Amino acid sequence: MDSTTAEVAYYFAPFLRVYTDGHVERLQGTDVVPPAMNSETGVSSKDVVIASETGVSARLFKPNSVNPEKRLPLLVYFHGGGFSLCSPYCSIYHDYLTSLVLEANIIAVSVDYRLAPENPLPAAYEDSWAALQWVVSHCNGQGSEPWLKDHADFQRVFLAGDSAGGNISHNLAVQAGVEGLGGVKLQGICVVHPYFGRKSEDDVGNDDNTNGGRPDVRPGVDNRWLYVCPTTSGFKDPRCNPAADERLWRLGCSKVLVCVAEKDGLRERGWFYYETLGKSGWSGEVEIMETEGEGHVFHLFKPSSEKAVTLMKRIVSFINQE
């Protein structure tokens, strides 16, 4: 049976279909923009392989004009897409990182982690941690990548991501707080419209974007979380519920920016994360910004809009403020 006649086993509308024969059809984020040196955008980009055995790779970005006497903040970025879609190479994320690098005058590493359902969680977390360890290996002039060795300031490192990428950023910051990052200083993380579980264990919610999937919907989590992480414990899984993580107070950075949008279905989860972090005993500072009248990751699809520009400026300020 080929995928033209196979039935749909899981549908994350309008993004992803998985058929009963195992075929995965991604409906967004599959285009590829080639990297470009000395681009007319003012930003150069190139691709690197981090772990050939797993296929983990990344796209690096730097401003075309770099003062060799001045090191730049380093941003490690994790794309969104429900752990199942997109890559650093698709136009949405290539264009966004290009704009962010230009506006903030930073070096950026945009991580390409393995996607579910072919590679269910924790693959994305493991790949992202491996990528961060690769970045850290360039501290003190070591490592093989000259853009990092020659231009990155390892005392001003940030993690950021949107949606699932925001979730990854948070979880890596917790792991960094527990395990350490050598001589690297993780100053902050920026989570934009982050994907977490619901606020209450009694909240089943409506999975409007999911038809099919697993029938055993557990309180406090989405069908799609259960689908991408089949070994999850559900609402008590600290990866999707920071309030269930006894290590939260050890978050390995000094500041966090949470960005939410008024019409985003994940808005309450972003506020829940902000409130939970503030009560955790963590010694850092957490800020929150809400954009009125906009939905989930609006800034990626309307990058020139006034509100997207405002959000960009807030993120740039967060990275560059001393």
Side-chain angles (χ1 to χ4, degrees):
M1 180 183 293
D2 61 34
S3 59
T4 60
T5 58
E7 296 181 355
V8 175
Y10 177 85
Y11 185 24
F12 176 21
F15 308 112
L16 178 78
R17 293 191 188 98
V18 182
Y19 294 87
T20 51
D21 64 357
H23 174 69
V24 178
E25 182 182 15
R26 292 181 170 87
L27 307 176
Q28 291 189 17
T30 59
D31 63 317
V32 175
V33 176
M37 298 296 290
N38 299 313
S39 167
E40 294 181 358
T41 63
V43 174
S44 294
S45 57
K46 65 177 176 179
D47 298 337
V48 297
V49 175
I50 293 173
S52 57
E53 62 275 15
T54 58
V56 180
S57 59
R59 176 157 290 180
L60 276 60
F61 299 81
K62 76 172 182 67
N64 288 347
S65 299
V66 179
N67 182 347
E69 302 300 321
K70 181 181 179 182
R71 290 188 173 266
L72 303 179
L74 173 60
L75 175 70
V76 184
Y77 194 88
F78 306 96
H79 67 81
F83 301 101
S84 300
L85 297 170
C86 300
S87 77
Y89 318 120
C90 68
S91 57
I92 291 174
Y93 286 104
H94 175 86
D95 293 349
Y96 179 70
L97 266 295
T98 296
S99 298
L100 182 55
V101 166
L102 185 63
E103 290 294 323
N105 194 34
I106 59 177
I107 305 296
V109 177
S110 185
V111 177
D112 186 29
Y113 52 84
R114 286 173 293 173
L115 301 178
E118 300 95 327
N119 300 282
L121 294 178
Y125 296 121
E126 294 170 346
D127 292 350
S128 298
W129 181 251
L132 182 57
Q133 292 298 300
W134 176 81
V135 169
V136 168
S137 73
H138 292 80
C139 184
N140 299 322
Q142 301 174 353
S144 59
E145 175 46 54
W147 286 10
L148 298 182
K149 290 196 300 181
D150 298 341
H151 304 299
D153 184 348
F154 287 93
Q155 297 305 301
R156 292 187 293 167
V157 176
F158 294 82
L159 307 182
D162 62 278
S163 196
N167 176 297
I168 293 173
S169 299
H170 159 75
N171 279 286
L172 261 61
V174 172
Q175 189 169 356
V178 173
E179 299 185 20
L181 288 177
V184 169
K185 183 176 181 180
L186 180 59
Q187 282 204 345
I189 65 171
C190 177
V191 295
V192 181
H193 311 166
Y195 176 73
F196 292 113
R198 297 188 174 91
K199 293 177 65 175
S200 169
E201 190 170 8
D202 298 325
D203 181 4
V204 175
N206 296 310
D207 278 343
D208 295 331
N209 288 327
T210 304
N211 298 317
R214 292 177 52 163
D216 55 332
V217 179
R218 297 181 222 173
V221 293
D222 297 304
N223 259 343
R224 56 182 167 270
W225 169 256
L226 298 172
Y227 189 75
V228 301
C229 190
T231 59
T232 184
S233 58
F235 182 75
K236 295 182 179 180
D237 189 330
R239 294 170 295 184
C240 72
N241 179 9
D245 194 345
E246 296 179 351
R247 309 170 303 163
L248 182 59
W249 66 274
R250 299 185 66 179
L251 191 75
C253 59
S254 58
K255 59 182 182 178
V256 173
L257 174 62
V258 183
C259 301
V260 298
E262 180 186 15
K263 295 185 177 180
D264 182 7
L266 300 181
R267 172 185 178 274
E268 294 300 325
R269 308 186 200 188
W271 274 100
F272 177 53
Y273 175 63
Y274 167 76
E275 295 162 356
T276 300
L277 188 56
K279 297 183 293 186
S280 67
W282 172 64
S283 60
E285 298 181 0
V286 57
E287 312 169 29
I288 191 164
M289 173 187 180
E290 179 163 342
T291 303
E292 296 181 354
E294 296 291 354
H296 192 59
V297 296
F298 73 93
H299 60 294
L300 298 179
F301 300 100
K302 299 185 291 183
S304 299
S305 67
E306 180 180 352
K307 292 177 181 177
V309 171
T310 299
L311 177 58
M312 172 74 77
K313 289 181 177 178
R314 182 65 178 274
I315 296 172
V316 168
S317 174
F318 177 76
I319 294 173
N320 284 321
Q321 66 187 5
E322 294 296 335

